[in-house]
Amino acid sequence: GLASAWKHEAAFREEVLLAVVTIPLGLWLGQGGLEKALLVGTILLVLVVELLNSAVEAVVDRVSDEHHELSKRAKDIGSAAVLITLLLAAAVWGLILVPHYL
């Protein structure tokens, strides 16, 4: 599944590259186990939600290539889940790191 996502999903590749930078950074900047877990965990959660979104999109595309409102809705909801997870990650990183480094 990971190899397929890497090969076929540009957004997943971009988020993996983000993870390659932010996971070590989170481990370095986090003070204590809980902060490190939150910083790294939110980035991993972004990858998980992106994989699920890609799976939904693949199934929708497999069922039919014609435009259908429910297909569009399924894809839009999956994309919204990724957006909310990215916002969650940004909020956690900001709430943890800004007080430490300002």
Side-chain angles (χ1 to χ4, degrees):
L2 292 173
S4 178
W6 179 265
K7 181 178 179 182
H8 299 284
E9 299 295 331
F12 181 72
R13 289 191 298 273
E14 292 167 2
E15 289 159 354
V16 166
L17 295 176
L18 175 72
V20 166
V21 172
T22 56
I23 288 175
L25 196 60
L27 293 171
W28 181 57
L29 295 174
Q31 297 179 2
L34 183 59
E35 286 188 3
K36 290 177 185 201
L38 286 168
L39 293 171
V40 171
T42 55
I43 299 303
L44 293 175
L45 184 61
V46 168
L47 294 176
V48 169
V49 174
E50 182 62 51
L51 287 168
L52 293 171
N53 179 49
S54 296
V56 167
E57 289 184 353
V59 169
V60 167
D61 290 344
R62 166 65 176 92
V63 169
S64 175
D65 61 354
E66 71 181 53
H67 178 75
H68 192 282
E69 183 56 35
L70 290 177
S71 298
K72 179 182 182 321
R73 188 182 316 164
K75 289 183 170 191
D76 288 349
I77 291 169
S79 295
V82 173
L83 174 63
I84 289 171
T85 309
L86 286 166
L87 293 173
L88 170 67
V92 167
W93 278 69
L95 289 168
I96 290 174
L97 297 181
V98 168
H100 289 316
Y101 298 102
L102 275 185

